[in-house]
Coordinates of all heavy atoms in Angstrom, one line a residue:
A1 N 11.8 8.6 1.3 CA 11.2 9.5 2.2 C 11.2 10.9 1.7 O 10.3 11.7 1.9 CB 11.8 9.3 3.6
Q2 N 12.4 11.3 1.2 CA 12.5 12.6 0.7 C 11.6 12.9 -0.5 O 11.1 14.0 -0.8 CB 14.0 12.9 0.3 CG 14.9 13.1 1.6 CD 16.3 13.2 1.2 OE1 16.8 12.8 0.1 NE2 17.1 13.8 2.1
T3 N 11.4 11.8 -1.3 CA 10.6 11.9 -2.5 C 9.1 12.2 -2.1 O 8.3 12.6 -3.0 CB 10.7 10.6 -3.4 OG1 12.1 10.3 -3.6 CG2 10.0 10.8 -4.7
L4 N 8.8 11.9 -0.9 CA 7.4 12.1 -0.4 C 7.0 13.6 -0.6 O 5.9 13.9 -0.9 CB 7.3 11.8 1.1 CG 6.9 10.4 1.5 CD1 7.1 10.2 3.0 CD2 5.5 10.1 1.1
T5 N 8.0 14.5 -0.5 CA 7.7 15.9 -0.5 C 7.7 16.5 -1.9 O 7.4 17.7 -2.1 CB 8.8 16.7 0.3 OG1 10.1 16.5 -0.3 CG2 8.8 16.2 1.7
F6 N 8.0 15.7 -3.0 CA 8.1 16.2 -4.3 C 6.6 16.6 -4.8 O 5.7 15.9 -4.4 CB 8.6 15.1 -5.3 CG 10.1 14.9 -5.2 CD1 10.9 15.6 -4.2 CD2 10.8 14.1 -6.0 CE1 12.2 15.4 -4.1 CE2 12.1 13.9 -5.9 CZ 12.9 14.5 -4.9
P7 N 6.5 17.6 -5.6 CA 5.2 17.9 -6.1 C 4.6 16.8 -6.9 O 5.4 16.2 -7.7 CB 5.5 19.2 -7.0 CG 6.7 19.7 -6.5 CD 7.5 18.6 -6.0
D8 N 3.4 16.5 -6.7 CA 2.7 15.4 -7.5 C 3.4 14.0 -7.2 O 3.2 13.1 -8.1 CB 2.7 15.7 -9.0 CG 1.8 16.9 -9.3 OD1 0.8 17.1 -8.6 OD2 2.2 17.6 -10.2
S9 N 4.1 13.8 -6.1 CA 4.7 12.6 -5.8 C 3.6 11.5 -5.6 O 2.6 11.7 -5.0 CB 5.5 12.7 -4.6 OG 6.0 11.4 -4.2
L10 N 3.9 10.3 -6.2 CA 2.9 9.2 -6.0 C 3.4 8.2 -4.9 O 2.9 7.1 -4.8 CB 2.7 8.4 -7.3 CG 2.0 9.2 -8.4 CD1 1.8 8.4 -9.6 CD2 0.6 9.7 -7.9
I11 N 4.4 8.6 -4.1 CA 4.9 7.8 -3.0 C 3.7 7.6 -2.0 O 3.5 6.4 -1.5 CB 6.1 8.4 -2.3 CG1 7.3 8.5 -3.2 CG2 6.4 7.6 -1.0 CD1 7.9 7.2 -3.6
P12 N 2.9 8.6 -1.7 CA 1.7 8.3 -0.9 C 0.8 7.2 -1.4 O 0.3 6.4 -0.6 CB 1.0 9.7 -0.9 CG 2.0 10.7 -1.1 CD 3.0 10.0 -2.0
L13 N 0.6 7.1 -2.7 CA -0.2 6.0 -3.3 C 0.5 4.7 -3.1 O -0.1 3.7 -2.8 CB -0.5 6.3 -4.8 CG -1.2 5.2 -5.5 CD1 -2.5 4.9 -4.9 CD2 -1.4 5.6 -7.0
Y14 N 1.8 4.7 -3.3 CA 2.6 3.4 -3.1 C 2.5 3.0 -1.6 O 2.3 1.8 -1.4 CB 4.0 3.6 -3.4 CG 4.9 2.4 -3.2 CD1 4.7 1.3 -3.9 CD2 5.9 2.4 -2.3 CE1 5.5 0.1 -3.7 CE2 6.7 1.3 -2.0 CZ 6.5 0.2 -2.8 OH 7.3 -0.9 -2.6
I15 N 2.5 3.9 -0.7 CA 2.4 3.5 0.7 C 1.0 3.0 1.0 O 0.8 2.0 1.7 CB 2.6 4.8 1.6 CG1 4.1 5.1 1.6 CG2 2.2 4.5 3.1 CD1 4.5 6.4 2.3
A16 N 0.0 3.6 0.3 CA -1.4 3.0 0.5 C -1.5 1.6 -0.1 O -2.2 0.8 0.5 CB -2.4 4.0 -0.2
F17 N -0.8 1.3 -1.2 CA -0.8 0.0 -1.7 C -0.1 -1.0 -0.7 O -0.6 -2.2 -0.5 CB -0.1 -0.1 -3.0 CG -1.0 0.1 -4.2 CD1 -0.8 1.2 -5.1 CD2 -2.0 -0.8 -4.5 CE1 -1.6 1.3 -6.2 CE2 -2.8 -0.6 -5.6 CZ -2.6 0.4 -6.4
L18 N 1.0 -0.6 -0.1 CA 1.7 -1.4 0.9 C 0.7 -1.7 2.0 O 0.7 -2.8 2.5 CB 2.9 -0.7 1.4 CG 4.1 -0.5 0.4 CD1 5.2 0.2 1.1 CD2 4.6 -1.8 -0.1
A19 N 0.0 -0.7 2.5 CA -1.0 -0.9 3.6 C -2.1 -1.9 3.1 O -2.5 -2.7 3.9 CB -1.6 0.5 4.0
W20 N -2.5 -1.7 1.9 CA -3.6 -2.6 1.4 C -3.0 -4.1 1.4 O -3.8 -5.0 1.8 CB -3.9 -2.2 -0.1 CG -5.1 -2.9 -0.6 CD1 -6.4 -2.3 -0.7 CD2 -5.3 -4.2 -1.2 NE1 -7.3 -3.2 -1.3 CE2 -6.6 -4.3 -1.6 CE3 -4.4 -5.2 -1.4 CZ2 -7.1 -5.5 -2.2 CZ3 -4.9 -6.4 -2.0 CH2 -6.2 -6.5 -2.4
D21 N -1.8 -4.3 1.0 CA -1.2 -5.6 1.0 C -1.2 -6.2 2.4 O -1.5 -7.4 2.7 CB 0.2 -5.6 0.4 CG 0.2 -5.8 -1.1 OD1 -0.8 -6.1 -1.6 OD2 1.3 -5.5 -1.7
E22 N -0.8 -5.3 3.4 CA -0.7 -5.8 4.8 C -2.1 -6.1 5.3 O -2.2 -7.1 6.0 CB 0.0 -4.7 5.6 CG 0.2 -5.2 7.1 CD 1.1 -4.3 7.9 OE1 1.9 -3.6 7.3 OE2 0.9 -4.2 9.1
F23 N -3.0 -5.3 5.0 CA -4.4 -5.5 5.5 C -4.9 -6.9 4.9 O -5.4 -7.7 5.6 CB -5.3 -4.4 5.0 CG -6.7 -4.5 5.5 CD1 -7.2 -3.8 6.5 CD2 -7.6 -5.4 4.8 CE1 -8.6 -3.9 6.9 CE2 -8.9 -5.6 5.2 CZ -9.4 -4.8 6.3
A24 N -4.7 -7.1 3.6 CA -5.2 -8.3 3.0 C -4.4 -9.5 3.6 O -5.1 -10.6 3.8 CB -4.9 -8.2 1.5
A25 N -3.1 -9.4 3.8 CA -2.4 -10.5 4.4 C -2.9 -10.9 5.8 O -2.9 -12.1 6.1 CB -0.9 -10.1 4.4
T26 N -3.2 -9.9 6.6 CA -3.7 -10.2 8.0 C -5.1 -10.7 8.0 O -5.5 -11.1 9.1 CB -3.5 -8.9 8.9 OG1 -4.2 -7.8 8.2 CG2 -2.0 -8.6 9.0
H27 N -5.8 -10.5 6.9 CA -7.2 -10.9 6.9 C -7.5 -12.2 6.0 O -8.6 -12.5 5.8 CB -8.1 -9.8 6.5 CG -8.2 -8.7 7.5 ND1 -7.2 -7.8 7.7 CD2 -9.3 -8.3 8.3 CE1 -7.6 -7.0 8.7 NE2 -8.8 -7.2 9.0
M28 N -6.5 -12.8 5.5 CA -6.7 -13.9 4.7 C -7.0 -15.2 5.5 O -6.4 -15.4 6.5 CB -5.4 -14.2 3.8 CG -5.2 -13.3 2.7 SD -3.8 -13.7 1.7 CE -3.8 -12.5 0.4
K29 N -8.0 -15.9 5.0 CA -8.4 -17.1 5.6 C -8.1 -18.4 4.8 O -7.9 -19.5 5.3 CB -9.9 -17.1 5.9 CG -10.3 -15.9 6.9 CD -11.8 -15.9 7.0 CE -12.2 -14.7 7.9 NZ -13.7 -14.6 8.0
D30 N -8.1 -18.2 3.5 CA -7.9 -19.4 2.6 C -6.8 -19.2 1.6 O -6.8 -19.7 0.5 CB -9.2 -19.6 1.9 CG -9.7 -18.4 1.0 OD1 -9.0 -17.4 1.1 OD2 -10.7 -18.6 0.3
G31 N -5.8 -18.4 2.0 CA -4.6 -18.3 1.1 C -4.6 -17.1 0.2 O -4.0 -16.1 0.5
L32 N -5.3 -17.2 -0.9 CA -5.3 -16.2 -1.9 C -6.2 -15.0 -1.4 O -6.1 -13.9 -2.0 CB -5.8 -16.7 -3.2 CG -4.7 -17.5 -4.0 CD1 -5.3 -18.0 -5.3 CD2 -3.5 -16.6 -4.3
G33 N -7.1 -15.2 -0.6 CA -8.0 -14.1 -0.1 C -9.2 -13.9 -1.0 O -9.0 -13.5 -2.1
G34 N -10.3 -14.2 -0.6 CA -11.5 -14.0 -1.3 C -12.0 -12.5 -1.2 O -11.3 -11.7 -0.5
A35 N -13.2 -12.2 -1.7 CA -13.7 -10.9 -1.6 C -13.8 -10.4 -0.2 O -13.8 -9.2 0.1 CB -15.0 -10.7 -2.4

């Protein structure tokens, strides 16, 4: 959380990836998730 405030920190990008994973997981219909 503290690293969030570092200049040029990529923690915000990592959080976006976590959100992407959660979105994909909640919208999967056939396991691996199609397009």
Side-chain angles (χ1 to χ4, degrees):
Q2 289 175 336
T3 310
L4 269 171
T5 62
F6 288 3
D8 296 323
S9 173
L10 291 182
I11 298 291
L13 175 56
Y14 178 65
I15 290 174
F17 268 120
L18 293 179
W20 194 97
D21 274 347
E22 185 171 332
F23 182 104
T26 55
H27 289 73
M28 282 184 180
K29 298 174 183 176
D30 56 358
L32 284 176

